[in-house]
């Protein structure tokens, strides 16, 4: 979500009232011990994972960057070596013959149209003309990453121009979606609810090379998953009383779908982040300690759903526990439009930003997850066994395993602490593992996890390092030689290497990059959020926050940069439109097409931008997917 919107409402608020040593203090101690960062700042890789010397290593990032001077205003800019196009703006029909966009939409149409708040997404290549299926047998994983091993396989070549895009619709303000501050009827609420969730859309490219055009096609697997779509629970907490309501209503929906993940078996993972903001209280209500820890409040974020839809009314005794049904990672089969989305409780209930999966020791699947709120934590899940064997035995690898939370030590090491009822300290507070998972934040508090500076996306690089964006740390108050940024409002990217090939309980960590808005520096950026490592070691970094030149003034729109993790080289590939956030990343198998998103262009205000419509000062701007290709049809990022 945009910072303007969420200021002190959600992820900038502090729900963590423990005295656990916060990350900025750990970092301060770590940096003074190392006596580094005295020199250059912007883009400084303060690495203990050795950087390559520029003499011996040619940077893999070679495009012409977008100059700062071109990166503002109502229209996007892209590197002169690249081009962009628009795909599936908010309100477009899911399929070509669906209901056309009308503003404001009605709820029936919106349920068959692309939602708003485009965020995390992934592209699933379709195998061949006859079969839709593109499961793990096709989308084979490399050692660390989800990348096809054999690009000559025809299954991949077809998938370069025909696939399924699963895309999250994180949020849309009432003023943007409804054209008014608050809903006036249940119909208004339904419009808002249907604008949230996930779209599964089948897309195809007509024409080859860089001039081909992508569009949605007729499909028997295209669908919308929204706040009223039936879902099911799986994993250790699935049968818990904490997920049952007194009136016995069935589990419905997913909301505030922020970032995402994808599995080696070909499914999509959508992550529920600021779910608390959609609940409110119409009557007498006092927050329980558990509700407080997750940030529930009487008015929520102002969506007003609870006024017309009792399910979101915290004071309605019939719907007690409804709020516990949100905050999970949800698995969706992109190739089966009839399958129910599954909430995987083994991954814990937090404000999930996203999940990055990789394959660890013995074929166990390992997932890294940020809980995006000031002073909340980073989590890791490790499956019980080899993922292929588990699937073969009819068990989801995401249902059986261990959940850990990270503690960062100031000597550059760290530990993964298990959230388990077998821990006597946790057993003093909770009586069963389903409580531990449902209130994972509280279990993590007890373990002494390290409060972080708003952990956003995670990604696993081909170097076996895990990268995580910490979007900002404005709580640092005192500058010193090691910490010349006070406050450090611009965020940084941390990385670590786990022992035992991802499955171990210990890690080494360091800061990959301290982002800084520095006057006169061409590669200035701040508030890193979306991040994705490609198989060649490039990092794609997306921003969500004011891109200033060191002062108060915003000098360019939010952006996507590319960094070479071997050299620290950093270049600006794309800038969005005024008021937007750049988020979401997906690629075709050959990496010659990349999909990203502009979220909340103009914050919905037509006086800032009318994107994707030409500038007229009137047309309501629409969140959109942006298709990026290199003019010479080369690999994206080169
Ligand atoms: Fe949805 Fe933390 O961004
Ligand atoms: Ca966002
Ligand atoms: Ca984000
Ligand atoms: Ca953000």
């Amino acid at each position: 979500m945009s910072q303007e919107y969420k200021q002190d409402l959600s992820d900038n608020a502090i729900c963590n009232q423990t005295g656990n040593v916060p990350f900025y203090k750990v970092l301060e101690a770590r940096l003074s011990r190392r006596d580094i960062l005295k020199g250059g700042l912007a883009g400084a890789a303060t690495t203990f994972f050795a950087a390559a010397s520029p003499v011996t290593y040619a940077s893999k990032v070679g495009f012409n960057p977008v100059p700062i001077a071109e990166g503002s205003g109502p229209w996007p800019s892209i590197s002169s070596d690249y081009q962009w196009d628009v795909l599936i703006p908010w309100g477009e029909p899911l399929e070509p013959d669906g209901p056309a966009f009308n503003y404001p939409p009605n709820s029936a149409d919106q349920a068959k149209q692309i939602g708003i708040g485009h965020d995390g997404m992934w592209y699933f290549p379709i195998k061949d003309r006859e079969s839709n299926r593109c499961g793990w047998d096709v989308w084979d994983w490399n050692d660390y990453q989800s990348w096809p091993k054999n690009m000559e396989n025809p299954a991949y070549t077809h998938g370069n121009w025909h696939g399924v895009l699963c895309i999250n619709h994180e949020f849309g303000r009432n003023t943007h979606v409804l054209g008014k501050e608050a809903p006036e009827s249940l119909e208004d609420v339904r419009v808002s609810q249907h604008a949230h969730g996930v779209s599964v859309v089948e897309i195809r490219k007509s024409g080859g090379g860089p001039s081909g055009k992508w569009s949605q096609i007729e499909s028997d697997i295209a669908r919308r998953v929204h706040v009223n779509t039936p879902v099911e629970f799986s994993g250790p907490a699935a049968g818990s009383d904490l997920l049952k309501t007194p009136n016995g209503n069935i589990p419905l929906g997913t909301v505030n779908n922020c970032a995402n993940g994808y599995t080696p078996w070909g499914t999509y993972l959508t992550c529920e982040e600021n779910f608390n903001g959609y609940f409110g209280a119409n009557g007498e209500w006092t927050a329980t300690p558990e509700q407080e820890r997750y940030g529930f409040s009487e008015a929520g974020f102002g969506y007003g759903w609870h006024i017309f839809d009792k399910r979101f009314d915290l004071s309605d005794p019939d719907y007690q526990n409804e709020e516990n049904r949100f905050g999970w990672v949800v698995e969706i089969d992109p190739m089966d439009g009839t399958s129910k989305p599954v909430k995987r409780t083994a991954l814990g209930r937090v404000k999930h930003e996203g999940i990055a999966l990789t394959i660890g020791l013995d074929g166990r699947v390992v997932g890294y997850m940020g809980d995006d709120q000031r002073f909340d934590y980073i989590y890791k899940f490790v499956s019980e066994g080899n993922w292929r064997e588990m699937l073969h035995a009819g068990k989801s690898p995401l249902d059986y395993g261990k959940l850990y939370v990270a503690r960062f030590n100031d000597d550059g090491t760290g530990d993964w602490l298990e959230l388990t009822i077998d821990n006597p300290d946790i057993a003093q507070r909770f009586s069963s593992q389903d409580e531990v998972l449902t209130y994972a934040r509280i279990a993590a508090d007890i373990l002494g996890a390290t409060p972080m500076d708003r952990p956003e996306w995670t990604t696993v690089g081909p170097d076996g390092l895990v990268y995580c964006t910490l979007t900002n740390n404005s709580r640092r108050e005192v500058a010193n030689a090691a910490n010349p940024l006070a406050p450090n409002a611009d965020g940084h990217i941390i990385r670590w290497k786990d022992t035992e090939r991802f499955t171990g309980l210990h890690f080494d960590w360091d800061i990959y990059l301290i982002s800084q808005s520095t006057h006169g520096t061409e590669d200035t950026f701040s508030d890193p959020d979306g991040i994705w490592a490609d198989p060649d070691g490039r990092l794609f970094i997306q921003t969500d926050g004011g891109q200033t030149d060191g002062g108060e003034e915003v000098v360019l729109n939010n952006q996507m940069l590319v960094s070479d993790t071997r050299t620290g080289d950093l270049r600006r590939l794309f800038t969005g439109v005024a008021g937007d956030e750049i988020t979401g990343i997906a690629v075709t198998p050959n990496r010659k097409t990349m999909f990203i998103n502009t979220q909340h262009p103009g914050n919905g205000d037509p006086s800032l931008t009318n994107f994707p419509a030409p500038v007229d000062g009137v047309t309501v701007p629409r969140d959109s997917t942006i298709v990026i290709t290199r003019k010479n049809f080369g690999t994206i990022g080169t």
Side-chain angles (χ1 to χ4, degrees), residues 1 6 11 119 170 258 273-274 353 372 454 456 529:
M1 285 194 182
K6 292 198 298 186
D11 40 23
D119 208 318
E170 186 187 28
C258 186
E273 191 191 15
N274 290 294
E353 175 79 14
D372 179 12
R454 295 194 45 201
E456 301 252 22
D529 189 336

Side-chain angles (χ1 to χ4, degrees), residues 1-2 6 11 119 170-171 256-259 271 273-274 351-354 371-373 454-457 471 529 544 581 583 599:
M1 285 194 182
S2 73
K6 292 198 298 186
D11 40 23
D119 208 318
E170 186 187 28
F171 80 101
N256 206 271
N257 305 80
C258 186
C271 301
E273 191 191 15
N274 290 294
K351 294 190 185 176
H352 282 286
E353 175 79 14
D371 178 357
D372 179 12
Q373 185 138 30
R454 295 194 45 201
E456 301 252 22
W457 290 45
T471 200
D529 189 336
D544 169 23
E581 164 189 348
T583 185
Q599 189 191 58

Side-chain angles (χ1 to χ4, degrees), residues 299 344 346 356 494:
R344 299 288 178 194
I494 196 171

